[in-house]
Amino acid sequence: MTRSGREQVGEAGASFGIAEVTGVSMVPTLLHGDQLLVQYGARLRAGCVAVLRHPLQQDLLIVKRLIERRDGGWWVLGDNPDAEGDSRVFGAVPPELVLGRVRARYRPVTPGRQRSAGVVLSWLVSSVRPVRSDRSASRRLRAR
């Protein structure tokens, strides 16, 4: 994941920034190349998708779903069960490494894709979407 330098300060001091998804750990919610609107310092709860520093390589930013609070921090998982690189590997993430909550994603037009009216309309309908909390995330974890 990369983070751009474009940040703004909104109401109540909340800052927003743009990050880009790299990899497949959050498929189907997020795809490689998606742009994310991130609210830094936002209130977090189980089910939120968040940007955080990797606990073992803190110069690397990752995006994961917050599952539940545990001793030592947040248990985080990717939405793609076949991808690795989440709390199953590195354990709970300390709260100070969770940087912000993903509020929306923007899916750019795929280069070289046909530009028919149907394709353009489909892209317009699906390109910008809020990223909602999955309230059932912690229940799914316990059910495994």
Side-chain angles (χ1 to χ4, degrees), residues 71-99:
D71 290 339
W74 282 101
W75 190 262
V76 300
L77 294 175
D79 285 359
N80 180 350
D82 296 326
E84 294 183 358
D86 54 28
S87 288
R88 295 172 293 178
V89 174
F90 49 70
V93 177
E96 63 271 12
L97 297 183
V98 181
L99 304 177

mmCIF file of all heavy atoms in Angstrom, residues 71-99:
data_model
loop_
_atom_site.group_PDB
_atom_site.id
_atom_site.type_symbol
_atom_site.label_atom_id
_atom_site.label_comp_id
_atom_site.label_asym_id
_atom_site.label_seq_id
_atom_site.Cartn_x
_atom_site.Cartn_y
_atom_site.Cartn_z
ATOM 1 N N ASP A 71 -5.871 -8.488 24.136
ATOM 2 C CA ASP A 71 -4.719 -7.996 24.886
ATOM 3 C C ASP A 71 -3.624 -7.683 23.886
ATOM 4 O O ASP A 71 -3.304 -8.508 23.033
ATOM 5 C CB ASP A 71 -4.226 -9.060 25.880
ATOM 6 C CG ASP A 71 -5.196 -9.261 27.036
ATOM 7 O OD1 ASP A 71 -6.001 -8.354 27.290
ATOM 8 O OD2 ASP A 71 -5.140 -10.331 27.664
ATOM 9 N N GLY A 72 -3.094 -6.498 23.953
ATOM 10 C CA GLY A 72 -2.016 -6.113 23.050
ATOM 11 C C GLY A 72 -2.479 -5.358 21.820
ATOM 12 O O GLY A 72 -1.658 -4.869 21.070
ATOM 13 N N GLY A 73 -3.793 -5.264 21.570
ATOM 14 C CA GLY A 73 -4.234 -4.464 20.440
ATOM 15 C C GLY A 73 -5.356 -5.076 19.625
ATOM 16 O O GLY A 73 -6.148 -5.870 20.126
ATOM 17 N N TRP A 74 -5.372 -4.721 18.354
ATOM 18 C CA TRP A 74 -6.423 -5.170 17.430
ATOM 19 C C TRP A 74 -6.021 -6.451 16.723
ATOM 20 O O TRP A 74 -4.898 -6.569 16.230
ATOM 21 C CB TRP A 74 -6.676 -4.113 16.360
ATOM 22 C CG TRP A 74 -7.509 -2.966 16.821
ATOM 23 C CD1 TRP A 74 -7.064 -1.725 17.188
ATOM 24 C CD2 TRP A 74 -8.924 -2.946 16.957
ATOM 25 N NE1 TRP A 74 -8.120 -0.941 17.558
ATOM 26 C CE2 TRP A 74 -9.275 -1.659 17.417
ATOM 27 C CE3 TRP A 74 -9.927 -3.881 16.740
ATOM 28 C CZ2 TRP A 74 -10.597 -1.301 17.662
ATOM 29 C CZ3 TRP A 74 -11.242 -3.521 16.980
ATOM 30 C CH2 TRP A 74 -11.564 -2.245 17.429
ATOM 31 N N TRP A 75 -6.934 -7.406 16.655
ATOM 32 C CA TRP A 75 -6.773 -8.591 15.813
ATOM 33 C C TRP A 75 -7.289 -8.181 14.437
ATOM 34 O O TRP A 75 -8.407 -7.687 14.307
ATOM 35 C CB TRP A 75 -7.565 -9.762 16.378
ATOM 36 C CG TRP A 75 -7.255 -11.062 15.699
ATOM 37 C CD1 TRP A 75 -7.967 -11.662 14.714
ATOM 38 C CD2 TRP A 75 -6.135 -11.920 15.953
ATOM 39 N NE1 TRP A 75 -7.365 -12.841 14.345
ATOM 40 C CE2 TRP A 75 -6.241 -13.023 15.082
ATOM 41 C CE3 TRP A 75 -5.052 -11.848 16.826
ATOM 42 C CZ2 TRP A 75 -5.305 -14.051 15.058
ATOM 43 C CZ3 TRP A 75 -4.131 -12.879 16.808
ATOM 44 C CH2 TRP A 75 -4.259 -13.966 15.938
ATOM 45 N N VAL A 76 -6.450 -8.304 13.398
ATOM 46 C CA VAL A 76 -6.817 -7.853 12.054
ATOM 47 C C VAL A 76 -6.711 -9.006 11.064
ATOM 48 O O VAL A 76 -5.839 -9.863 11.188
ATOM 49 C CB VAL A 76 -5.936 -6.662 11.578
ATOM 50 C CG1 VAL A 76 -6.081 -5.473 12.513
ATOM 51 C CG2 VAL A 76 -4.476 -7.052 11.453
ATOM 52 N N LEU A 77 -7.625 -9.021 10.092
ATOM 53 C CA LEU A 77 -7.610 -10.039 9.045
ATOM 54 C C LEU A 77 -7.876 -9.379 7.706
ATOM 55 O O LEU A 77 -8.589 -8.378 7.628
ATOM 56 C CB LEU A 77 -8.690 -11.099 9.287
ATOM 57 C CG LEU A 77 -8.551 -11.993 10.511
ATOM 58 C CD1 LEU A 77 -9.771 -12.894 10.649
ATOM 59 C CD2 LEU A 77 -7.285 -12.820 10.450
ATOM 60 N N GLY A 78 -7.334 -9.975 6.647
ATOM 61 C CA GLY A 78 -7.703 -9.582 5.301
ATOM 62 C C GLY A 78 -9.022 -10.246 4.944
ATOM 63 O O GLY A 78 -9.385 -11.276 5.508
ATOM 64 N N ASP A 79 -9.756 -9.659 4.004
ATOM 65 C CA ASP A 79 -11.032 -10.250 3.588
ATOM 66 C C ASP A 79 -10.836 -11.475 2.705
ATOM 67 O O ASP A 79 -11.753 -12.261 2.528
ATOM 68 C CB ASP A 79 -11.888 -9.214 2.861
ATOM 69 C CG ASP A 79 -12.502 -8.203 3.815
ATOM 70 O OD1 ASP A 79 -12.289 -8.314 5.039
ATOM 71 O OD2 ASP A 79 -13.198 -7.291 3.323
ATOM 72 N N ASN A 80 -9.653 -11.650 2.142
ATOM 73 C CA ASN A 80 -9.331 -12.796 1.302
ATOM 74 C C ASN A 80 -8.733 -13.884 2.201
ATOM 75 O O ASN A 80 -7.597 -13.767 2.655
ATOM 76 C CB ASN A 80 -8.334 -12.388 0.221
ATOM 77 C CG ASN A 80 -7.953 -13.515 -0.703
ATOM 78 O OD1 ASN A 80 -8.277 -14.675 -0.465
ATOM 79 N ND2 ASN A 80 -7.239 -13.184 -1.758
ATOM 80 N N PRO A 81 -9.482 -14.953 2.483
ATOM 81 C CA PRO A 81 -8.983 -15.968 3.414
ATOM 82 C C PRO A 81 -7.754 -16.723 2.915
ATOM 83 O O PRO A 81 -7.042 -17.338 3.704
ATOM 84 C CB PRO A 81 -10.177 -16.917 3.581
ATOM 85 C CG PRO A 81 -11.022 -16.711 2.377
ATOM 86 C CD PRO A 81 -10.804 -15.293 1.929
ATOM 87 N N ASP A 82 -7.485 -16.666 1.604
ATOM 88 C CA ASP A 82 -6.327 -17.375 1.058
ATOM 89 C C ASP A 82 -5.039 -16.560 1.111
ATOM 90 O O ASP A 82 -3.958 -17.098 0.870
ATOM 91 C CB ASP A 82 -6.605 -17.797 -0.389
ATOM 92 C CG ASP A 82 -7.757 -18.797 -0.472
ATOM 93 O OD1 ASP A 82 -7.898 -19.615 0.458
ATOM 94 O OD2 ASP A 82 -8.510 -18.744 -1.455
ATOM 95 N N ALA A 83 -5.141 -15.265 1.402
ATOM 96 C CA ALA A 83 -3.959 -14.403 1.468
ATOM 97 C C ALA A 83 -3.414 -14.391 2.889
ATOM 98 O O ALA A 83 -4.170 -14.442 3.855
ATOM 99 C CB ALA A 83 -4.310 -12.991 1.017
ATOM 100 N N GLU A 84 -2.108 -14.329 2.995
ATOM 101 C CA GLU A 84 -1.468 -14.271 4.307
ATOM 102 C C GLU A 84 -1.073 -12.838 4.619
ATOM 103 O O GLU A 84 -1.251 -11.943 3.816
ATOM 104 C CB GLU A 84 -0.234 -15.175 4.328
ATOM 105 C CG GLU A 84 -0.577 -16.639 4.194
ATOM 106 C CD GLU A 84 0.650 -17.524 4.279
ATOM 107 O OE1 GLU A 84 1.769 -16.986 4.407
ATOM 108 O OE2 GLU A 84 0.495 -18.745 4.219
ATOM 109 N N GLY A 85 -0.533 -12.627 5.803
ATOM 110 C CA GLY A 85 -0.040 -11.306 6.168
ATOM 111 C C GLY A 85 -1.003 -10.544 7.052
ATOM 112 O O GLY A 85 -1.206 -9.349 6.862
ATOM 113 N N ASP A 86 -1.576 -11.231 8.010
ATOM 114 C CA ASP A 86 -2.464 -10.566 8.954
ATOM 115 C C ASP A 86 -2.172 -11.099 10.356
ATOM 116 O O ASP A 86 -1.110 -11.678 10.584
ATOM 117 C CB ASP A 86 -3.932 -10.705 8.544
ATOM 118 C CG ASP A 86 -4.378 -12.148 8.318
ATOM 119 O OD1 ASP A 86 -3.805 -13.064 8.943
ATOM 120 O OD2 ASP A 86 -5.302 -12.358 7.519
ATOM 121 N N SER A 87 -3.081 -10.924 11.288
ATOM 122 C CA SER A 87 -2.826 -11.316 12.681
ATOM 123 C C SER A 87 -2.587 -12.802 12.867
ATOM 124 O O SER A 87 -2.013 -13.205 13.875
ATOM 125 C CB SER A 87 -3.977 -10.848 13.580
ATOM 126 O OG SER A 87 -3.927 -9.452 13.740
ATOM 127 N N ARG A 88 -2.974 -13.616 11.903
ATOM 128 C CA ARG A 88 -2.661 -15.045 11.993
ATOM 129 C C ARG A 88 -1.158 -15.260 11.911
ATOM 130 O O ARG A 88 -0.640 -16.258 12.389
ATOM 131 C CB ARG A 88 -3.362 -15.815 10.881
ATOM 132 C CG ARG A 88 -4.888 -15.785 11.006
ATOM 133 C CD ARG A 88 -5.545 -16.375 9.805
ATOM 134 N NE ARG A 88 -5.290 -15.516 8.643
ATOM 135 C CZ ARG A 88 -5.699 -15.771 7.410
ATOM 136 N NH1 ARG A 88 -6.372 -16.863 7.148
ATOM 137 N NH2 ARG A 88 -5.452 -14.930 6.436
ATOM 138 N N VAL A 89 -0.444 -14.300 11.329
ATOM 139 C CA VAL A 89 1.018 -14.379 11.200
ATOM 140 C C VAL A 89 1.712 -13.566 12.287
ATOM 141 O O VAL A 89 2.634 -14.051 12.925
ATOM 142 C CB VAL A 89 1.463 -13.879 9.800
ATOM 143 C CG1 VAL A 89 2.974 -13.806 9.697
ATOM 144 C CG2 VAL A 89 0.877 -14.741 8.706
ATOM 145 N N PHE A 90 1.279 -12.303 12.502
ATOM 146 C CA PHE A 90 2.017 -11.411 13.390
ATOM 147 C C PHE A 90 1.306 -11.071 14.702
ATOM 148 O O PHE A 90 1.813 -10.306 15.499
ATOM 149 C CB PHE A 90 2.438 -10.124 12.676
ATOM 150 C CG PHE A 90 1.347 -9.417 11.912
ATOM 151 C CD1 PHE A 90 0.317 -8.774 12.560
ATOM 152 C CD2 PHE A 90 1.386 -9.397 10.527
ATOM 153 C CE1 PHE A 90 -0.660 -8.112 11.844
ATOM 154 C CE2 PHE A 90 0.415 -8.730 9.802
ATOM 155 C CZ PHE A 90 -0.625 -8.084 10.473
ATOM 156 N N GLY A 91 0.146 -11.645 14.963
ATOM 157 C CA GLY A 91 -0.547 -11.400 16.226
ATOM 158 C C GLY A 91 -1.292 -10.076 16.246
ATOM 159 O O GLY A 91 -1.496 -9.438 15.217
ATOM 160 N N ALA A 92 -1.688 -9.672 17.437
ATOM 161 C CA ALA A 92 -2.456 -8.435 17.606
ATOM 162 C C ALA A 92 -1.588 -7.220 17.273
ATOM 163 O O ALA A 92 -0.388 -7.208 17.525
ATOM 164 C CB ALA A 92 -2.982 -8.329 19.028
ATOM 165 N N VAL A 93 -2.218 -6.196 16.709
ATOM 166 C CA VAL A 93 -1.530 -4.966 16.314
ATOM 167 C C VAL A 93 -1.753 -3.912 17.398
ATOM 168 O O VAL A 93 -2.902 -3.598 17.730
ATOM 169 C CB VAL A 93 -2.069 -4.452 14.960
ATOM 170 C CG1 VAL A 93 -1.421 -3.140 14.581
ATOM 171 C CG2 VAL A 93 -1.868 -5.493 13.879
ATOM 172 N N PRO A 94 -0.671 -3.359 17.955
ATOM 173 C CA PRO A 94 -0.826 -2.322 18.980
ATOM 174 C C PRO A 94 -1.651 -1.140 18.450
ATOM 175 O O PRO A 94 -1.519 -0.766 17.281
ATOM 176 C CB PRO A 94 0.617 -1.894 19.275
ATOM 177 C CG PRO A 94 1.456 -3.054 18.850
ATOM 178 C CD PRO A 94 0.735 -3.677 17.691
ATOM 179 N N PRO A 95 -2.500 -0.557 19.290
ATOM 180 C CA PRO A 95 -3.385 0.525 18.844
ATOM 181 C C PRO A 95 -2.655 1.702 18.199
ATOM 182 O O PRO A 95 -3.179 2.329 17.282
ATOM 183 C CB PRO A 95 -4.097 0.973 20.116
ATOM 184 C CG PRO A 95 -3.878 -0.088 21.109
ATOM 185 C CD PRO A 95 -2.681 -0.880 20.687
ATOM 186 N N GLU A 96 -1.447 1.990 18.650
ATOM 187 C CA GLU A 96 -0.715 3.140 18.091
ATOM 188 C C GLU A 96 -0.268 2.907 16.647
ATOM 189 O O GLU A 96 0.114 3.841 15.956
ATOM 190 C CB GLU A 96 0.479 3.521 18.972
ATOM 191 C CG GLU A 96 1.545 2.459 19.112
ATOM 192 C CD GLU A 96 1.313 1.486 20.266
ATOM 193 O OE1 GLU A 96 0.214 1.467 20.858
ATOM 194 O OE2 GLU A 96 2.258 0.731 20.570
ATOM 195 N N LEU A 97 -0.328 1.665 16.166
ATOM 196 C CA LEU A 97 0.034 1.379 14.771
ATOM 197 C C LEU A 97 -1.163 1.456 13.826
ATOM 198 O O LEU A 97 -1.002 1.390 12.612
ATOM 199 C CB LEU A 97 0.698 0.008 14.664
ATOM 200 C CG LEU A 97 2.022 -0.164 15.411
ATOM 201 C CD1 LEU A 97 2.605 -1.547 15.168
ATOM 202 C CD2 LEU A 97 3.020 0.915 15.030
ATOM 203 N N VAL A 98 -2.366 1.572 14.382
ATOM 204 C CA VAL A 98 -3.564 1.724 13.550
ATOM 205 C C VAL A 98 -3.712 3.215 13.262
ATOM 206 O O VAL A 98 -3.964 4.013 14.156
ATOM 207 C CB VAL A 98 -4.812 1.160 14.246
ATOM 208 C CG1 VAL A 98 -6.032 1.316 13.340
ATOM 209 C CG2 VAL A 98 -4.603 -0.310 14.599
ATOM 210 N N LEU A 99 -3.530 3.595 11.982
ATOM 211 C CA LEU A 99 -3.459 5.002 11.615
ATOM 212 C C LEU A 99 -4.799 5.631 11.291
ATOM 213 O O LEU A 99 -5.024 6.798 11.600
ATOM 214 C CB LEU A 99 -2.522 5.171 10.417
ATOM 215 C CG LEU A 99 -1.107 4.632 10.603
ATOM 216 C CD1 LEU A 99 -0.306 4.800 9.330
ATOM 217 C CD2 LEU A 99 -0.434 5.332 11.763
#
